[in-house]
Amino acid sequence: MTYFRPNINAMVGYAPGEQPQLGTQVIKLNTNENPYPPAPVALQVLREMDGELLRRYPDSMAEEFRQAASHVLGFPPDWMLVGNGSDELLNLIVRACVAPSQKVVYPTPTYILYRTLAQMQPAQVIEVDYDENYTLPIEQLIAAKGAVTFIASPNSPPGNAVPVAALHQLAAQLSGVLVIDEAYVDFAEANALELVKAYDNVIVLRTLSKGYSLAGLRLGFGIAQPSLLEGLIKVKDSYNVDAIACKVGAAAVLDQAHKIKNAEQVKSSRAKLTTDLKRLGFLVYPSQANFLLVQPPRKNAEKLYQLLKNQGILVRYFQQPRLEDKLRITVGTEEQNQILVKSLTQLLSKA
Ligand SMILES: *Cc1c(COP(=O)(O)O)cnc(C)c1O
């Protein structure tokens, strides 16, 4: 006896990374949070929150945040849709754009939520493999004819960024919607915002979870032409962004200097950690995000994951094709990275 639709029974739910209790003595390098605190101005806004703002329903379009993001990115407010994390926007896009018999297409390995959302719909899932060099398989993606095509750039877990020229080519030839998920853009060298002006089928997604150190706030936004946002607005909850997230997020996004300073630190630590891990014999994939995908010298990734966990260091292990011999390690503070490298040095010499 079950009360669920057949596709819900058949699917595996999305499994988020472990979140130990606050105060637990762990070095948490498993869910790509920013190791540095949010902007002080944003925390100040949080402390001074007016109770009247909570008594009322929030603005249904999170207007204060939209204005702030519009000011920073130079797109009009009505080219932006704000969500409860960019995960909500991914959800809205599948709900609004993919009919049951249609396809959701994406290159793999990538963010597992794309598959989860497609299976919930249910939609047909078409996964196209990246090659070893992570060249975008443009022809195959076009041939798959997705109602929606997802490209994470920088991508997780590999960390590869897709060249903007390749995204142009894809956008121009796709029949459906192209979603460019830029969750890690703050650590990358380029972004694809210019595509939004050129193509009415492109939506670029951003989040405050990674670059702005606000994963707990749950705030993300999409940038697209108003005609593409129209259908998503019909599908969303009327009050999908709470008053606190809207106001704190606006303050955070206006403090670009704080975000840039932290991102520069993360990028410099990423380079150093890359060198240290290579010295230990790891294969390290080039990354434009705040994490590294690495293959341990003996390919005993699952074992190493467990041994690190026993020492209070959490990294991410994926039981998935092409990833079962690899670990995804979030770049932490200099101190955290050093403890990690020290532990790995000991573990490898023992093994
Ligand atoms: C973290 C992440 C997101 C989700 O961001 P939220 O705004 O926290 O929901 C989306 N896409 C990718 C690829 C991510 O890694």
Side-chain angles (χ1 to χ4, degrees):
M1 173 67 184
T2 170
Y3 294 106
F4 305 116
R5 291 184 288 136
N7 60 303
I8 302 299
N9 279 323
M11 69 183 274
V12 179
Y14 180 79
E18 300 154 81
Q19 290 291 6
Q21 289 282 314
L22 215 59
T24 317
Q25 281 301 325
V26 293
I27 295 183
K28 200 174 166 306
L29 305 176
N30 66 333
T31 52
N32 300 343
E33 287 132 342
N34 197 309
Y36 301 109
V41 288
L43 297 177
Q44 187 64 26
V45 166
L46 181 62
R47 275 189 293 269
E48 289 168 2
M49 194 68 55
D50 184 351
E52 178 64 6
L53 215 73
L54 297 182
R55 188 184 66 75
R56 294 190 192 181
Y57 280 104
D59 187 278
S60 73
M61 293 302 288
E63 201 51 42
E64 187 174 350
F65 179 80
R66 276 217 299 193
Q67 294 288 344
S70 164
H71 177 74
V72 169
L73 295 180
F75 281 79
D78 66 338
W79 286 49
M80 301 195 185
L81 179 60
V82 193
N84 182 19
S86 54
D87 284 352
E88 187 200 10
L89 295 161
L90 292 166
N91 192 345
L92 293 177
I93 293 163
V94 176
R95 295 287 155 276
C97 302
V98 190
S101 60
Q102 289 184 313
K103 293 167 192 160
V104 167
V105 179
Y106 49 87
T108 52
T110 193
Y111 192 32
I112 298 159
L113 187 68
Y114 304 152
R115 179 195 295 159
T116 312
L117 292 172
Q119 289 174 335
M120 279 162 59
Q121 187 71 344
Q124 208 181 320
V125 177
I126 308 283
E127 299 185 340
V128 182
D129 268 349
Y130 271 112
D131 64 17
E132 269 306 306
N133 303 317
Y134 286 92
T135 317
L136 192 70
I138 297 180
E139 297 309 323
Q140 289 157 278
L141 291 170
I142 292 164
K145 295 192 188 307
V148 168
T149 302
F150 289 114
I151 308 287
S153 181
N155 188 18
S156 171
N160 63 296
V162 177
V164 178
L167 294 171
H168 260 291
Q169 254 184 295
L170 194 59
Q173 295 180 69
L174 276 184
S175 44
V177 174
L178 174 60
V179 181
I180 304 173
D181 183 349
E182 292 193 333
Y184 298 102
V185 74
D186 300 307
F187 312 101
E189 278 151 33
N191 72 73
L193 271 184
E194 64 185 55
L195 267 71
V196 167
K197 291 186 187 132
Y199 304 100
D200 66 3
N201 62 334
V202 171
I203 180 164
V204 171
L205 300 185
R206 297 281 177 93
T207 176
L208 274 71
S209 296
K210 316 278 166 52
Y212 295 85
S213 311
L214 288 168
L217 194 67
R218 310 306 304 132
L219 197 65
F221 57 107
I223 306 109
Q225 297 188 14
S227 57
L228 186 56
L229 298 181
E230 205 179 277
L232 307 185
I233 293 168
K234 285 188 197 167
V235 174
K236 82 177 187 69
D237 284 353
S238 312
Y239 307 112
N240 61 327
V241 176
D242 69 74
I244 298 171
C246 178
K247 210 170 182 60
V248 173
V253 86
L254 288 173
D255 192 350
Q256 286 294 300
H258 178 86
K259 179 203 72 173
I260 291 166
K261 176 171 66 88
N262 287 345
E264 288 304 320
Q265 179 58 59
V266 167
K267 287 192 276 182
S268 121
S269 301
R270 179 179 74 197
K272 183 164 186 305
L273 186 58
T274 301
T275 310
D276 290 346
L277 293 174
K278 281 185 175 168
R279 194 181 305 123
L280 288 176
F282 283 80
L283 181 70
V284 182
Y285 287 78
S287 168
Q288 288 202 29
N290 66 338
F291 57 82
L292 295 172
L293 185 70
V294 303
Q295 184 185 58
R298 296 184 191 207
K299 304 190 180 178
N300 53 346
E302 188 167 17
K303 179 88 191 161
L304 270 184
Y305 155 79
Q306 196 54 55
L307 291 169
L308 284 172
K309 188 172 168 173
N310 296 346
Q311 300 194 359
I313 303 175
L314 286 182
V315 299
R316 194 79 186 261
Y317 176 71
F318 299 92
Q319 191 96 53
Q320 262 190 79
R322 286 174 72 173
L323 299 175
E324 60 277 274
D325 57 351
K326 299 179 183 72
L327 297 172
R328 191 191 68 187
I329 303 174
T330 307
V331 176
T333 61
E334 277 300 311
E335 192 195 354
Q336 290 176 321
N337 300 339
Q338 274 170 28
I339 295 170
L340 168 79
V341 170
K342 206 170 144 200
S343 283
L344 284 172
T345 309
Q346 285 168 355
L347 290 172
L348 291 179
S349 69
K350 266 189 239 159

